Every structure is written in structure tokens, then in C-alpha cells.
Amino acid sequence: MAGTNRRSAIKNLLAGTAAIGASGMLSSFKPEGNELMADKLKGNINHAVCRWCYGDISVEQLCAAAKDIGIKGIDLVGPDDWPTLKKYGLFSSMCNGAEINLTDGFGDTQFHAQLHKNYTAMIPKVAAAGYKNLICFSGSRRGKTDEEGWKNCVEGLKPMVKLAEQHNIVLVMELLNSKIDHKDYQCDHTAWGAELCKRLGSENFKLLYDIYHMQIDEGDVIRNIRDHHQYIAHYHTGGVPGRNEIDETQELFYPAIMRAVLEVGHKGFVAQEFIPKQKDKLLSLGKAVHICDV
């Protein structure tokens, strides 16, 4: 779809988006009779979107739509897709491609050799492309205590963090819930990740605070953001339950969360990571971005 048509479609969608009233709740999204949200984003938040949520849309299409919406970055793409992002003036806001998977991570010494090989190759590539963040994972607990997990992660990450410092790259460990989606994942609470950050003691290692995951495992989202923001480099969104769209059907009130993110001085990205339910997934994306644009 041409840029003008895409912008028109998004604007029409927003005409059906309810204003946030004095009651502090999102009213229903109706096709008419509601206050029109402005098409232009406020510019306070660096918006991004996670690639994997739009697997049936090409990277080219996603980049074109993101550009029209006002999104600045695409999350979770590797070197093969970076040229397309650059074509549209978009940032690779959270690079990937060095991890083994979500279960075999730095918390287990048996994977350190492979991870060191992968990250040693990828960190210079991220730096050469002009990007900043590279994702990593603790992996599964596999019976390890918290102390054993911290010890193993420090041992495995320390040489990679040193390399990241040399290249001005930030290794970012994602917080995932172990209750529903990622059983046995070790870095499943903000305090656990913050303790790992303290032990590594480097500005080149931080956390990816996935709001969806942390609402499931610990709740108290705004307080945890305020208490641990100095260790958080990046945020992901998603409706709870089900990682659904951000609207009135789920339990989180995202405008308040986004205001908290801004209040603690976050200058990085906030990436939409939900499963679109509407037929036109890109219109779902546009709606969510505007709800979070405070």
C-alpha cells in the first residue's frame, strides 16, 4: 500500500479510538462519535515493533508501515535484515542472532563456549552497523539455585561484556515469565536481573523489561520500573492475558505505565510485542502505538 493510503488508513483507525477520559479508563473503540487522536506522534517515546509478531508480512512491508506510523525501530532482527531497515531510515533497536535459543543461555556453563563464539562474532557486527543493543538470555534454571545462576551468568558474560565495552555495545538480558510461556526460565523477576547487573557492574549490561512477562510473574509493574530503572535498557509491551493487543480487554493500563517509563528518564526504545487479532495487523499496530504515546 502506498504511504499516503497507509497513513489514511491509520488515521481512519484512530478516528475510532477512544480518548482517555477523566475516569482514567479506555472507553470502547467505536467507528464514530469519539474524539480523534492526532495522527502525529508526540515524540516523547522512541517507538519500535518486534519483527516476529508480523511473520506473514515481509520486512519491507513492515518497515514501510512502521515508517508511516512514526515508529523508529524494528526489534529482533539480525544482519540479513539490517539493509532493509537502513533503506527506510529505521534503527535495529534490539539486535539478535547471537543467542542459541531461549533455554540454553549464560546461566549454564555447558553453553558458554558456543555463546562466546557467537557473541564474539556478533558484537563487532552490531557496532559496525551503528547499532547499540544485542539481546541475550539466562536460559533455563535446570535445578540451579539463584546463586548458582548468578555465578554462572557472571562467569559466562564477563568476557562478553568486556568486548561489548570495547565496541560500545550493550548486552541486554530479557526478563521472561516462567509461569506460563517459558517454564523454568531463570531470569524471571526484575530483582534477579538487577542483582546480575550489580554483580557485573557495567553500563554495557542491562535488562530488557518485558511488561507482559513481568506482569505475569510479579505484577507491581510501575513500582518495579521505578525501583530498577537504572538497570533497564529497553521495554517490550503486550496485553495480559495472552499477549493480546493493547486495548480495553486486558488488565494493564499502558498510558500510566508509559508515563512511569518517561518519569524515570528512559531514553531508549519501547517496542510493541503483541499478537495482532485484527485482520489488518498493521492497523492494530498503529492503534497500540498511539495508546502508548504519552
Side-chain angles (χ1 to χ4, degrees):
M1 181 181 290
T4 301
N5 291 338
R6 173 58 61 187
R7 283 189 290 272
S8 297
I10 292 168
K11 189 172 183 179
N12 290 337
L13 170 83
L14 295 174
T17 302
I20 299 169
S23 65
M25 298 295 291
L26 287 176
S27 56
S28 299
F29 294 104
K30 298 179 180 179
E32 56 185 359
N34 292 312
E35 181 181 339
L36 174 64
M37 273 189 176
D39 198 356
K40 186 176 176 62
L41 298 177
K42 294 182 177 71
N44 297 324
I45 293 174
N46 293 316
H47 292 284
V49 58
C50 290
R51 166 69 184 124
W52 74 266
C53 301
Y54 301 85
D56 57 348
I57 297 171
S58 71
V59 174
E60 184 98 18
Q61 289 173 306
L62 182 60
C63 286
K67 186 73 172 178
D68 284 339
I69 292 168
I71 290 171
K72 297 180 180 179
I74 307 291
D75 260 33
L76 305 179
V77 292
D80 290 346
D81 292 320
W82 293 345
T84 305
L85 271 63
K86 289 179 181 292
K87 174 182 174 181
Y88 287 89
L90 298 173
F91 201 73
S92 182
S93 39
M94 182 58 63
C95 302
N96 70 352
E99 70 280 3
I100 298 172
N101 51 50
L102 302 184
T103 59
D104 303 335
F106 283 100
D108 201 317
T109 57
Q110 67 177 309
F111 305 117
H112 285 179
Q114 184 62 54
L115 288 166
H116 287 171
K117 179 180 178 181
N118 294 358
Y119 281 86
T120 298
M122 186 62 73
I123 287 171
K125 290 181 182 178
V126 174
Y131 300 137
K132 186 75 174 179
N133 296 328
L134 178 60
I135 200 166
C136 66
F137 301 95
S138 70
S140 298
R141 185 179 289 270
R142 292 186 174 92
K144 296 185 295 297
T145 64
D146 284 344
E147 187 59 41
E148 289 169 332
W150 285 320
K151 179 178 179 295
N152 290 348
C153 279
V154 169
E155 179 184 326
L157 281 163
K158 204 164 188 179
M160 297 300 94
V161 170
K162 183 176 180 180
L163 183 62
E165 290 171 346
Q166 295 170 5
H167 289 275
N168 196 27
I169 297 300
V170 180
L171 295 180
V172 187
M173 181 171 285
E174 185 165 12
L175 295 156
L176 302 174
N177 84 75
S178 60
K179 179 181 178 181
I180 302 297
D181 299 292
H182 303 286
K183 300 285 188 179
D184 203 44
Y185 188 75
Q186 187 146 38
C187 187
D188 62 350
H189 282 72
T190 312
W192 196 97
E195 176 62 24
L196 179 57
C197 290
K198 293 173 187 176
R199 295 189 182 202
L200 284 165
S202 173
E203 288 298 305
N204 295 79
F205 178 83
K206 290 187 178 292
L207 304 175
L208 194 170
Y209 186 93
D210 189 304
I211 297 164
Y212 161 81
H213 285 298
M214 290 301 94
Q215 170 66 2
I216 290 173
D217 261 14
E218 64 186 12
D220 210 5
V221 169
I222 290 176
R223 187 188 304 274
N224 276 310
I225 289 171
R226 288 173 175 164
D227 288 350
H228 301 292
H229 66 89
Q230 66 268 41
Y231 305 116
I232 299 170
H234 197 83
Y235 291 88
H236 279 173
T237 73
V240 180
R243 198 177 273 287
N244 291 319
E245 293 182 16
I246 296 172
D247 58 22
E248 76 282 8
T249 68
Q250 51 88 47
E251 66 193 37
L252 291 167
F253 185 66
Y254 264 94
I257 296 172
M258 291 298 102
R259 283 193 290 271
V261 168
L262 291 180
E263 286 167 3
V264 299
H266 180 66
K267 302 299 183 184
F269 283 84
V270 174
Q272 298 292 333
E273 190 181 26
F274 61 85
I275 308 300
K277 64 184 179 182
Q278 297 190 43
K279 185 175 181 180
D280 190 329
K281 295 182 176 182
L282 297 176
L283 292 183
S284 298
L285 174 59
K287 181 181 76 174
V289 167
H290 279 80
I291 289 173
C292 291
D293 192 54
V294 298

